[in-house]
Amino acid sequence: MKNSTPGHQAHHHFDDAERAAVYRNILARRDVRGQFLPDPVADDVLARILTAAHFAPSVGFMQPWSFVVIRNQHVKQRVHDAFTVANAEAVQMFEGKQREVYSGLRLQGILEAPVNLCITCDRDRAGPVVIGRTHIKAMDIYSTVCAVQNLWLAARAEGLGVGWVSIFRQSAIREILSLPERIIPIAYLCVGHVSHFLDQPELQTAGWRQRLPLDELVHFDGWGGDRPDGVVLRDALRRAQEDASRGIPPT
C-alpha cells in the first residue's frame, strides 16, 4: 500500500530553490565554441559529469554508451584536421548570405578545450532483442543522446562549457579513435572552463535562426488538433517562453 502521508509526498519534490536551480541550469546551457580557457578540468569534476551521463535513462536499461576521454594534443589535432576537411565541404552546401554567415561562425573548440569527449553507442551491448527496441531500432541511439544531455547539464552546473562538434565524417572519427566497427560515434564534445557563457545561443545572435514559438508547436489529441481549453495552455506557453528567453526560471 502506498504511503500517502504529506512527509512521504514531500520527499519526492524539490523545494522552490532547488526547482529554480534546475530550470536556471537548463536555460543557461549553451553550446560553447570560442570561450575555452586552458585551465585543466579536475578528475573529480570529470568523474561527476561522466557519472551524470551514465545515470541517463536508457531503453531496456541498455546503457549503450561508452566515453573516450581525449587529452592528447596530437589526437585533438587529427580530429581538428578532420573537422577542417568537412567544414570546407559544408560551406559549399550553403548559398548567398547563408554561406557568408556560415563562413564567419566559430563551430568548434577542439584544440582549445582541455578535454575532448567522444560519446559512443554500442548497438550490440544488450543483445539482439532488447525491451523497448523491438520495433524502433534506433532507441539505443536516442538513449545515448540522453547521456549527452545529462553530461551537458551536469557540466553547466559545474561551471564548465561544452561544445558539440558534428562537422566531420563518422568514419574519420572512428579511424582516429580506433573505434570497433560496431561502435557508433554519437557526440564529439569539447569540455572545459570558459571565460564566459553567452546570454543567447550564438546562432540566434548571428541571425542564423530564431527560437520558434512553442505555442505553435503544441498539438492536441493528434497532429493539427486543437481544444476549446487549449487557449489557456497556449497563453501559458507564451508567457513561459517569454520568461525563459530572458533567463527567468519559472516561479
Side-chain angles (χ1 to χ4, degrees), residues 3-52:
N3 186 339
S4 59
T5 63
H8 179 78
Q9 293 296 327
H11 176 70
H12 296 288
H13 290 79
F14 294 115
D15 64 31
D16 289 346
E18 291 170 330
R19 183 171 64 92
V22 171
Y23 281 101
R24 177 172 175 262
N25 188 17
I26 292 170
L27 299 179
R29 186 212 56 80
R30 292 288 178 268
D31 194 346
V32 174
R33 284 91 174 248
Q35 304 103 267
F36 286 110
L37 299 172
D39 310 47
V41 176
D43 283 344
D44 59 337
V45 176
L46 186 57
R48 287 198 293 268
I49 67 174
L50 287 171
T51 300

Side-chain angles (χ1 to χ4, degrees), residues 9 11 37-38 42 54 69 88 91 111 155 193 215 229-230 233:
Q9 293 296 327
H11 176 70
L37 299 172
H54 186 47
V69 180
V91 73
L111 298 177
H193 297 281
D215 61 291
D229 57 356
L233 176 57

Side-chain angles (χ1 to χ4, degrees), residues 66 121-125 140 174 179-185:
S66 292
C121 177
D122 183 346
R123 309 209 72 183
D124 299 329
R125 180 163 294 167
D140 52 351
R174 179 176 280 115
L179 302 180
E181 189 61 32
R182 74 178 190 281
I183 301 298
I184 300 175

Side-chain angles (χ1 to χ4, degrees), residues 57-59 61-66 119-126 133 139-145 147 183-184 186:
S58 63
V59 171
F61 207 40
M62 288 182 286
Q63 306 163 77
W65 44 71
S66 292
I119 301 183
T120 67
C121 177
D122 183 346
R123 309 209 72 183
D124 299 329
R125 180 163 294 167
R133 199 184 66 170
M139 294 308 298
D140 52 351
I141 294 175
Y142 302 155
S143 297
T144 305
V145 174
I183 301 298
I184 300 175
I186 299 297

